Amino acid sequence: MRVVVIGAGGAGITAAIEAKRNNGDAEVIIVDKRKRIGFAPCALPYVLAGDIKSFDDIIEFPKNFIEEQGIKLLLEKTVIGINRSDKKVILDDNQELNYDSLILAVGSHSFIPPIKGVEGAELFTLKTIEDAEKLKARIDELKTKENPKAVVIGAGFIGLEMAFALAKNNINVSVIEVAPYILPVMLDEDFAKIVKEKIESDKLRIFCSEKVNSIEKNLVITDKSKYEFDLLVLATGVRANSDIAKNAGLEVNKGIVVNEFMQTSDKNIYACGDCIEINNIVLNKKNPSQLATTALRTGKIAGYNAVSNEKKSLKGVLNTAVTKIMGLTIASTGLTEFSATKNNIEFVKATISSKTREDYATKKNELIAKLIINKEKRIIGSQIIGDDEVVPMIDLLALAIKSGLSADELVMMEHAYSPLTSPVRSQISILAELCLKKLGVKKK
Amino acid sequence: MRVVVIGAGGAGITAAIEAKRNNGDAEVIIVDKRKRIGFAPCALPYVLAGDIKSFDDIIEFPKNFIEEQGIKLLLEKTVIGINRSDKKVILDDNQELNYDSLILAVGSHSFIPPIKGVEGAELFTLKTIEDAEKLKARIDELKTKENPKAVVIGAGFIGLEMAFALAKNNINVSVIEVAPYILPVMLDEDFAKIVKEKIESDKLRIFCSEKVNSIEKNLVITDKSKYEFDLLVLATGVRANSDIAKNAGLEVNKGIVVNEFMQTSDKNIYACGDCIEINNIVLNKKNPSQLATTALRTGKIAGYNAVSNEKKSLKGVLNTAVTKIMGLTIASTGLTEFSATKNNIEFVKATISSKTREDYATKKNELIAKLIINKEKRIIGSQIIGDDEVVPMIDLLALAIKSGLSADELVMMEHAYSPLTSPVRSQISILAELCLKKLGVKKK
């Protein structure tokens, strides 16, 4: 059998590897219009910041590694159409590729909002290595300039990571966010304010609740002020690439529609990664989830199912995410209070600010955490700000949400304690108890 | 109503606080023969090591804090008997205390093995602040001695933490362990070897598979060699204090027998902490679990149930534990391969050695982890060696074991990834997949 994968990003490559691993006899081909593939897009801001030395260091899937798995790479070829009745994809050089299973891993593109003057402006986005190289060249140019200025539009995590990278390059950065607070998808206002306070500096200023009205030459004009720039970065989100699916007559909404097996409305065509819509486990609503970890997991499912009769499934995602800015690790999973409210979900929440060790331990980090539970006591969301412990803590909470655990189970969770490593009681357990107390009060 | 708690360790104080919180009208009294209470025993080795400045810093529950909760403290009073028919405890000053609920939180004592010469030897154990102060005085004496030598018998975590503390005080330490490897309760031989290699130094040598035959003056004589000492520490485990329960006619085995509500064989008498036997969730067998975290959780249950009609329960423990030695964090939960084998549980395991970040991140720690699953794919145990991430990772696995999760669910677990904080795929997910592959091969 032959599996054709369109797109050599994390989702596509993972799908191809999984297909080949589960059916060594299958011919697996990846087609991509790009020449340079297999890099970790999330790492781009950190290369610009100098935290990672070079673009060569962020190649997660080198071409020879992919080929060693027995996968064929067709690069610099654009798919111009899918002939579903004949099960063929048509390339821009008129080559036709038959498939038994087709996997769409066509990714996403930077969203450019319809701001007046945006078409003529010299602006930068950050999606590909080429984007990052262009940005790097511009940053290098600015090194000779006195007091260079940058404006970043959007204070999501890409926006903030970029702002941090520019500030590290000695550029004065103004970040403009239309929402009332930064990281509006990951955090609620209370936590966003804590982060903002910690990451702002003379070099990096953030302006929230400000709408960009127009871009004129080297000026960003908002509803409140004007910002001069030598460098303008747009970090206003990404959108699913779904034209190819739409043109082939597949069901498409905000992304390509798939079932829990990553099958599109055509059962021989799978889709995965940034280009799909996927179920949110807590909300039971579908939306794109444009995270590397979603790409890998949906890619794995698509690749496995493309070559197997017995199908694996993924019920959905929680959009568990983390970023590190100015030495601060910020993570979240599930719903924020804002998203719960918006979706008419009743909840209670608790917040603690504590140390990651008992008071007597000499090495201590600050940890600020929030837990949100619904009125049936189920965990529905969490936000944590701290240090290295944050990632597995949020992973634990994601597992708790996914497993439908009640807060009672977290109160009595088992926890590893030793004076120099951890507090005697896990902050998660304390938060669960605080939430239950509030719920008790609320019920009375 | 009146609740009498015998024992002012972590379990007893937690039980008293929980009782008072859930029934403000209850009179809650703690009786303890000691004068100095409320300290964190796990922190003692770290005070001796100098990682924690003073014994004053490790008081977790100061007396005034306990009294502010409305709890009465009767210190320096020994309970000499329990009159169950009249529901009274009798103190050594002939005072009698009526109770409605009685909570036994009488702790454990250092086990002194029947080694020839042990009675006459000047030896140190580490259980109370007084023990630690005596040890500190001896350590200070040795500072004037040239090339002082210590022998520690037992390479469990207390033994190793003590050895590390002595070595930090510039004393040459020999640790003697009868088992074939260190930390035999927490780790299997493979992981124990890795830890041994990392923590041994010129100052700290460890000898396994060596049985102490006798102690003669300043000499420990084993079946293989002789070790001179200026200071001898016994770290050969603790045993439940259960005489008081036995004398009152309560059911006692290796510890006081309790049900899932922490009730002893007398329904008005509860017990918690080091003095009880508690169910191991994976084995479904009862044993003492002498950990601070078990003390707190069983204390919470006992205290709540002592004043409430509706009872809370704790199904058991996994003995999740962590220690930090020479900057290395070592944790485990559930069964080791050794304990699984001993209990005739079929299993497969996988081990990985990886970084806690992707290769391109500049700050990376080593992480070595093992996952053990049974043939029904359920997680049954894990061991992890690494850095700050270890504690919440092991907590996550403890939660997975307790929730009866299958390895399939860990393969697809949601994970927070960002280049500087974590690998793109959680090591836990990779381990679960490796285990399932081995299980598949084993089944064929």
Side-chain angles (χ1 to χ4, degrees):
Chain A
M1 76 175 297
R2 182 191 272 173
V3 179
V4 174
V5 180
I6 309 180
I13 295 170
T14 304
I17 292 173
E18 192 73 10
K20 190 70 191 172
R21 270 195 198 153
N22 285 285
N23 185 344
D25 297 333
E27 184 188 7
V28 181
I29 304 171
I30 307 180
V31 188
D32 199 292
K33 63 184 168 196
R34 294 171 296 179
K35 189 175 175 180
R36 293 158 77 186
I37 57 144
F39 63 95
C42 309
L44 293 173
Y46 298 102
V47 179
L48 296 176
D51 291 320
I52 298 171
K53 277 183 203 155
S54 99
F55 293 114
D56 294 334
D57 291 339
I58 64 166
I59 303 300
E60 289 219 301
F61 300 104
K63 283 178 202 170
N64 58 346
F65 167 80
I66 298 170
E67 285 166 347
E68 276 162 19
Q69 313 299 306
I71 295 163
K72 214 175 283 176
L73 276 174
L74 270 182
L75 300 182
E76 297 177 83
K77 303 275 178 198
T78 302
V79 174
I80 55 168
I82 302 167
N83 178 338
R84 286 167 53 200
S85 47
D86 295 342
K87 294 171 81 176
K88 276 180 190 172
V89 298
I90 300 118
L91 306 187
D92 53 354
D93 61 359
N94 291 322
Q95 206 188 143
E96 292 186 345
L97 284 176
N98 291 302
Y99 65 80
D100 296 291
S101 290
L102 175 65
I103 299 175
L104 304 177
V106 291
S108 58
H109 58 274
S110 298
F111 170 65
I112 310 291
I115 298 166
K116 196 183 149 195
V118 80
E119 309 84 14
E122 193 207 9
L123 55 84
F124 294 84
T125 54
L126 191 67
K127 182 79 194 146
T128 63
I129 284 205
E130 288 77 11
D131 290 341
E133 282 175 340
K134 271 191 266 175
L135 249 165
K136 193 175 178 334
R138 184 73 184 128
I139 290 167
D140 288 343
E141 271 172 40
L142 290 180
K143 281 187 177 147
T144 57
K145 194 172 180 334
E146 209 175 315
N147 205 21
K149 293 186 189 68
V151 169
V152 175
I153 303 179
F157 59 80
I158 308 265
L160 291 183
E161 286 165 9
M162 268 311 304
F164 178 52
L166 295 172
K168 274 193 84 174
N169 281 284
N170 223 21
I171 298 170
N172 295 290
V173 188
S174 300
V175 181
I176 301 165
E177 170 61 51
V178 66
Y181 49 91
I182 64 169
L183 297 168
V185 177
M186 286 180 75
L187 302 180
D188 286 307
E189 187 158 13
D190 53 351
F191 273 50
K193 274 190 173 162
I194 295 166
V195 174
K196 182 170 184 280
E197 220 162 83
K198 288 185 187 269
I199 66 175
E200 268 196 315
S201 66
D202 287 348
K203 279 244 159 299
L204 199 173
R205 292 166 310 144
I206 305 173
F207 304 92
C208 292
S209 298
E210 228 173 299
K211 192 178 177 309
V212 175
N213 282 332
S214 63
I215 299 163
E216 286 174 23
K217 282 186 179 163
N218 65 336
L219 225 52
V220 169
I221 299 160
T222 73
D223 52 1
K224 292 186 183 157
S225 186
K226 289 176 190 194
Y227 301 87
E228 222 183 285
F229 66 83
D230 301 297
L231 169 60
L232 174 62
V233 177
L234 243 70
T236 42
V238 297
R239 294 293 181 271
N241 291 330
S242 52
D243 286 352
I244 192 171
K246 221 177 276 179
N247 294 339
L250 298 174
E251 204 184 325
V252 170
N253 195 359
K254 276 175 277 183
I256 302 171
V257 174
V258 292
N259 62 17
E260 66 191 292
F261 309 114
M262 302 304 130
Q263 265 168 328
T264 65
S265 50
D266 177 332
K267 72 176 172 44
N268 298 310
I269 304 181
Y270 296 81
C272 52
D274 279 10
C275 63
I276 64 167
E277 269 194 356
I278 188 161
N279 193 46
N280 179 299
I281 294 172
V282 183
L283 290 179
N284 217 14
K285 282 186 186 173
K286 289 189 165 190
N287 264 305
S289 164
Q290 284 138 341
L291 296 164
T293 48
T294 301
L296 297 199
R297 292 188 306 146
T298 56
K300 226 169 147 65
I301 298 282
Y304 181 89
N305 290 344
V307 296
S308 311
N309 292 324
E310 168 223 8
K311 303 290 183 209
K312 285 193 179 169
S313 70
L314 183 68
K315 280 188 191 139
V317 298
L318 296 164
N319 292 314
T320 306
V322 63
T323 181
K324 190 163 189 174
I325 304 164
M326 298 280 293
L328 212 61
T329 302
I330 305 143
S332 79
T333 188
L335 302 190
T336 56
E337 294 180 64
F338 178 82
S339 56
T341 304
K342 206 175 112 188
N343 287 282
N344 298 312
I345 294 173
E346 275 189 67
F347 64 89
V348 294
K349 64 109 187 259
T351 299
I352 51 169
S353 170
S354 76
K355 307 289 185 209
T356 56
R357 309 279 187 281
E358 289 294 330
D359 281 339
Y360 45 69
T362 42
K363 188 203 157 199
K364 286 172 290 188
N365 304 315
E366 208 179 1
L367 189 103
I368 304 164
K370 180 196 288 194
L371 188 70
I372 306 171
I373 71 171
N374 69 13
K375 61 186 204 313
E376 286 78 36
K377 298 186 184 179
R378 301 235 178 268
I379 320 298
I380 61 169
S382 176
Q383 294 155 48
I384 312 182
I385 303 169
D387 207 326
D388 292 341
E389 296 88 346
V390 168
V391 166
M393 284 180 80
I394 213 81
D395 286 1
L396 184 157
L397 286 160
L399 190 68
I401 299 175
K402 213 177 154 194
S403 306
L405 292 195
S406 128
D408 289 308
E409 288 167 88
L410 290 190
V411 173
M412 278 290 148
M413 68 180 266
E414 199 147 317
H415 164 63
Y417 154 67
S418 163
L420 301 193
T421 63
S422 39
V424 68
R425 203 172 153 203
S426 166
Q427 292 95 342
I428 294 172
S429 169
I430 297 169
L431 281 171
E433 191 167 35
L434 291 172
C435 280
L436 287 173
K437 266 187 195 149
K438 285 195 187 175
L439 199 63
V441 172
K442 222 183 169 186
K443 274 186 179 164
K444 277 171 197 164
Chain B
M1 76 175 298
R2 184 191 270 171
V3 179
V4 174
V5 180
I6 309 179
I13 296 170
T14 305
I17 292 173
E18 192 73 10
K20 192 68 190 172
R21 271 195 198 151
N22 286 286
N23 184 346
D25 298 333
E27 185 189 5
V28 181
I29 303 171
I30 308 180
V31 188
D32 198 296
K33 63 184 170 197
R34 294 170 296 178
K35 190 176 175 180
R36 292 158 78 186
I37 57 146
F39 63 94
C42 309
L44 293 173
Y46 298 101
V47 179
L48 296 175
D51 290 320
I52 298 171
K53 276 183 201 154
S54 100
F55 293 114
D56 294 334
D57 291 339
I58 64 165
I59 304 299
E60 288 219 302
F61 300 105
K63 283 177 202 170
N64 59 345
F65 167 78
I66 298 170
E67 285 166 345
E68 277 162 19
Q69 314 299 306
I71 295 163
K72 215 175 281 176
L73 276 175
L74 271 182
L75 300 182
E76 297 177 85
K77 302 275 178 198
T78 303
V79 175
I80 56 169
I82 301 168
N83 178 337
R84 285 168 53 200
S85 46
D86 295 341
K87 293 169 84 174
K88 276 180 190 170
V89 298
I90 301 120
L91 307 186
D92 52 354
D93 61 359
N94 290 320
Q95 206 188 142
E96 293 185 346
L97 284 176
N98 291 301
Y99 65 79
D100 296 290
S101 292
L102 175 64
I103 300 175
L104 305 176
V106 291
S108 59
H109 58 275
S110 298
F111 171 65
I112 311 290
I115 297 165
K116 196 183 147 195
V118 81
E119 309 84 14
E122 193 207 9
L123 54 83
F124 294 84
T125 55
L126 191 67
K127 182 78 194 149
T128 63
I129 284 204
E130 288 77 12
D131 291 342
E133 282 175 339
K134 272 192 266 175
L135 250 165
K136 192 175 178 334
R138 184 72 185 131
I139 291 167
D140 288 343
E141 272 171 41
L142 291 180
K143 281 188 176 147
T144 57
K145 194 174 184 326
E146 207 176 316
N147 205 23
K149 292 186 189 69
V151 169
V152 175
I153 304 179
F157 58 82
I158 307 266
L160 292 183
E161 286 165 8
M162 269 310 305
F164 178 52
L166 296 171
K168 274 194 83 174
N169 280 285
N170 223 22
I171 298 170
N172 295 290
V173 188
S174 300
V175 181
I176 300 166
E177 169 62 51
V178 65
Y181 50 90
I182 64 167
L183 297 168
V185 177
M186 285 180 75
L187 302 180
D188 286 306
E189 188 158 12
D190 52 351
F191 273 51
K193 276 190 172 161
I194 295 166
V195 175
K196 184 171 183 281
E197 219 162 82
K198 287 185 187 269
I199 67 175
E200 268 196 316
S201 65
D202 287 349
K203 280 243 156 299
L204 199 173
R205 291 165 311 143
I206 305 172
F207 304 92
C208 293
S209 299
E210 226 171 302
K211 193 178 176 310
V212 175
N213 282 333
S214 63
I215 300 163
E216 286 173 23
K217 282 185 179 163
N218 66 336
L219 224 52
V220 169
I221 299 160
T222 72
D223 52 0
K224 291 187 183 158
S225 185
K226 288 175 191 196
Y227 302 88
E228 221 183 285
F229 66 83
D230 301 297
L231 171 58
L232 174 61
V233 178
L234 242 72
T236 41
V238 297
R239 295 291 181 272
N241 291 330
S242 52
D243 286 353
I244 193 170
K246 223 179 273 176
N247 295 339
L250 298 174
E251 203 184 326
V252 170
N253 196 0
K254 276 174 277 181
I256 302 171
V257 174
V258 292
N259 62 16
E260 67 192 291
F261 308 114
M262 301 304 130
Q263 266 168 328
T264 65
S265 49
D266 177 332
K267 72 177 174 41
N268 298 308
I269 305 180
Y270 296 81
C272 52
D274 279 11
C275 62
I276 64 167
E277 269 194 359
I278 188 161
N279 193 47
N280 179 299
I281 294 173
V282 184
L283 290 179
N284 217 14
K285 281 186 188 173
K286 288 189 166 191
N287 264 306
S289 163
Q290 284 137 341
L291 295 165
T293 47
T294 301
L296 297 198
R297 292 188 306 145
T298 56
K300 226 169 148 66
I301 298 282
Y304 182 90
N305 290 345
V307 297
S308 311
N309 292 322
E310 168 224 7
K311 304 290 184 210
K312 286 193 179 169
S313 68
L314 183 68
K315 278 185 194 146
V317 299
L318 297 163
N319 292 314
T320 307
V322 62
T323 182
K324 189 163 188 172
I325 304 164
M326 297 281 293
L328 212 61
T329 301
I330 304 143
S332 79
T333 188
L335 303 188
T336 56
E337 294 180 64
F338 179 81
S339 57
T341 305
K342 206 175 112 188
N343 288 281
N344 299 312
I345 295 172
E346 276 189 67
F347 65 89
V348 295
K349 64 109 187 258
T351 299
I352 53 169
S353 171
S354 76
K355 306 290 184 208
T356 56
R357 309 278 187 282
E358 289 292 331
D359 282 339
Y360 45 68
T362 42
K363 188 204 157 199
K364 284 174 290 187
N365 304 314
E366 209 180 0
L367 189 103
I368 305 165
K370 180 196 287 195
L371 188 71
I372 307 172
I373 72 172
N374 70 13
K375 60 186 206 313
E376 287 78 37
K377 298 185 185 180
R378 300 236 176 268
I379 319 299
I380 61 169
S382 176
Q383 294 154 48
I384 312 183
I385 302 169
D387 207 326
D388 292 342
E389 296 87 346
V390 168
V391 166
M393 284 179 80
I394 213 81
D395 286 1
L396 184 157
L397 286 159
L399 189 69
I401 298 175
K402 213 178 155 193
S403 306
L405 293 194
S406 126
D408 289 309
E409 288 167 87
L410 290 189
V411 172
M412 277 292 149
M413 69 181 264
E414 199 147 316
H415 164 64
Y417 153 67
S418 162
L420 301 193
T421 63
S422 39
V424 68
R425 202 172 154 203
S426 165
Q427 293 95 343
I428 294 172
S429 168
I430 296 169
L431 280 170
E433 190 167 37
L434 291 171
C435 280
L436 287 173
K437 265 187 197 151
K438 284 195 188 174
L439 198 64
V441 171
K442 220 183 169 186
K443 275 186 177 164
K444 274 169 200 167

